[in-house]
Amino acid sequence: MTDLPHTGAPTNRFWRRFRRHKGAVIGGGLLALILFAVLIGPFLWLHTSGQINITARNLGPSLAHPMGTDHLGRDLFAAILEGGRVTVLVGLVAMGLSVAIGTAVGILAGMFRWLDAPLMRLTDLFLALPVLPLLLVTIMLWREKLRMLFGAEAGIFLLIVAMIGLTSWMQTARILRAEVLALKNREFVTAATALGVRPWGLIRRHILPNVLGVIIVSATLGLANAIITESALSFLGLGFPPDHPTWGRLLFDGTEYLTLTPARAIWPGLMITLTVLCANYLGEGLRDALDPRRGFGRK
Amino acid sequence: MLTYCLRRLAFSVPVLVLISFAIFLLMDLAPNDPTSNLPMSIPADTRAQLREALGIGDPLLTRYLLWCKQFFIHEPLNWLTNVTGLALGDPDRLRVLSWSARVPVVDLIAERLPQTLWVVGMSYLLGIAIALPIGIYSAYRQHGWFDHLGSFISMIGYSVPSFFLGVVMIIVFAVKLNWLPSVYDTTLRVTDWGSLMEQFRQMVMPVAILALYNAAQISRYMRASMLDNLHHDYVRTARAKGASERRVMLRHVARNSMLPVVTVIALGIPQVLAGAVITEQIFKINGIGELLISAIQSGDLPVVQTLTFLFAVLVVLFNLFADIAYGLLDPRISYD
């Protein structure tokens, strides 16, 4: 095969286009900063979220406590850093699961004609599920059992991650199926098939590298969705237990002290919003950069 | 068209049966015994009745079919009896009872539904009314300042979780400024001007939050759909005929762009209803979302089952509506 002169160009073009989308660049940078902060922040910060200091109750922001303290004098900034770890971890793992299922279903449905109809009917069926009520019901019914099996934190973590992953893969599957169907008609796939490449080899060498961009966009938007869902569950009191507070749980706990210390509700909410906003902007910028014809509408 | 509708309708029946079975199975296979969570205050004979109603001890499929019978035959018959006043069949058939309130679940839902529909319906209409002009104008002046502002606001509306926005609004408007009540009072009866204003004031915050979210989503679709249509030949033809910009935009482009948006609006209705769970929790509105949460917390299985299934029915129903509306609105699509 001869090397075409513009082999390296698509990547450069992608970066050039991505950099033009200011929101996406800022969003990506901030998101990286947030991930970094919750990852190493708890090691570096002076306080831990468990330290009780009755003399320093309900303080406003100061140098020692940048976000103030709660009714037991615990540092809110430390709680935000530690809670962010759980929130971000739930978001990443649930997103990974959702993208993995969506990719598998989408590629299988696109590649194998006999699997197409059953898999797409399954996708339709999942799209017809009332997600939020179902999540609440499942968590109510299975929480105790899993808590006994895996411990308080691990049990609820597994349950929430599995449920979010299982109920959010459908869009990814649909988009990937369409991409794969379009790719299957391209010459290089026909050529590879003619050369005797097996279906699995075809998927690995030719299909997957070509749909990677779409998968990354799905993953970014999926992260935002998973974080919102987890926070909503925690806000409704059906998420993580109060001794391992995520941002959603901190917000929920903060709502009881709205008249006294509104900061306790505002900071966690602001962190959720900022993270989700960054992820959405990043996903949008990536998608626009990958597909120049696209405006900014979703789907 | 009629055959298409009938075929779609026929397809949604197995979907609903599957979903109802899944919901039943989910509750049935759950590790804890459904009656073990019940409060001790329930008398023994009621408990026995409950167990009978649940048919604990029968094989799985029998239990499922009995549940279906209760749900799909007894309840509709009762409803018919209430509406027409005729006595149909055996009057003491087993009804789906709430365990904590000890009244039929259907009555509970009928009591809670108006509050939800009122708030959610208003916010959805308001959201659509805001979103359509914004979407149209943003696409018309693509990359203009209005477009940038509009997409920024819709991105915010899309990303700010409703529970956070609700809390912020309560802090600002209820706690600090003391302009609006933070708790929605459903016992309020609108009788005169004062109570009308009171009703209006308590609806402002929940409606505004839901409307912002809906408007953010719908305006994105409307803008994208307008942009898809703007560069078609028919737009050039309309302009060449000498039609005014306003007429080209509203009569030609907007009308054609509405097609996919109508689908999105129809598909969004069940989601918005389910999403009201959160808004109702923030403002303590006693609608169906609040009913679901309190039923979950008290382990009231029949209420939870019924509500979850009701949400599933709504999703399937509006999917059907969306498909049929699409066919009716777009004459190019023929299903036969």
Side-chain angles (χ1 to χ4, degrees), chain A residues 206-228:
Chain A
H206 300 280
I207 302 286
L208 266 182
N210 274 298
V211 294
L212 198 62
V214 183
I215 296 178
I216 292 173
V217 172
S218 268
T220 322
L221 299 176
L223 176 68
N225 174 50
I227 288 181
I228 283 215

Side-chain angles (χ1 to χ4, degrees), chain B residues 161-172:
Chain B
S162 55
F163 46 88
F164 177 50
L165 193 60
V167 167
V168 170
M169 284 184 97
I170 289 181
I171 292 175
V172 174

Side-chain angles (χ1 to χ4, degrees), chain A residues 121 124-125 127-130 132-134 136-138 140-142 144-145 228 231-232 235-238 248 251 255 258-259 262 265-267 269-270 272-273 276-277 280-281 284 287 295-299, chain B residues 11 15 18-19 23 26-27 29-32 151-152 154-156 158-161 163-164 167 170-171 175-176 220-221 223-224 274-275 277-278 281-282 292-293 296-297 299 301 304 308 311-312 315-316:
Chain A
R121 287 294 83 77
D124 287 345
L125 190 69
L127 279 171
L129 292 175
L132 191 62
L134 207 65
L136 296 174
V137 170
T138 321
M140 151 205 155
L141 292 169
W142 294 82
E144 286 307 313
K145 179 81 174 179
I228 283 215
S231 307
F235 181 78
L236 292 173
L238 283 156
L251 174 58
T255 51
L258 281 188
T259 44
I266 289 179
W267 284 114
L270 218 53
I272 299 171
T273 308
V276 170
L277 199 62
N280 276 338
Y281 261 120
E284 197 161 85
R287 188 180 45 202
F296 89 136
R298 254 199 169 170
K299 244 184 196 173
Chain B
F11 178 70
V15 170
L18 261 175
I19 291 178
I23 290 171
L26 183 75
M27 312 266 170
L29 294 182
N32 35 0
S151 44
F152 179 68
S154 83
M155 195 58 162
I156 300 265
Y158 198 80
S159 303
V160 182
F163 46 88
F164 177 50
V167 167
I170 289 181
I171 292 175
V175 177
K176 297 279 181 223
R220 286 161 75 96
Y221 279 112
R223 177 182 178 276
V277 173
I278 294 169
Q281 200 67 12
I282 304 171
L292 180 69
I293 296 285
I296 284 176
Q297 271 155 3
L301 217 50
V304 177
T308 319
F311 280 122
V315 176
V316 172

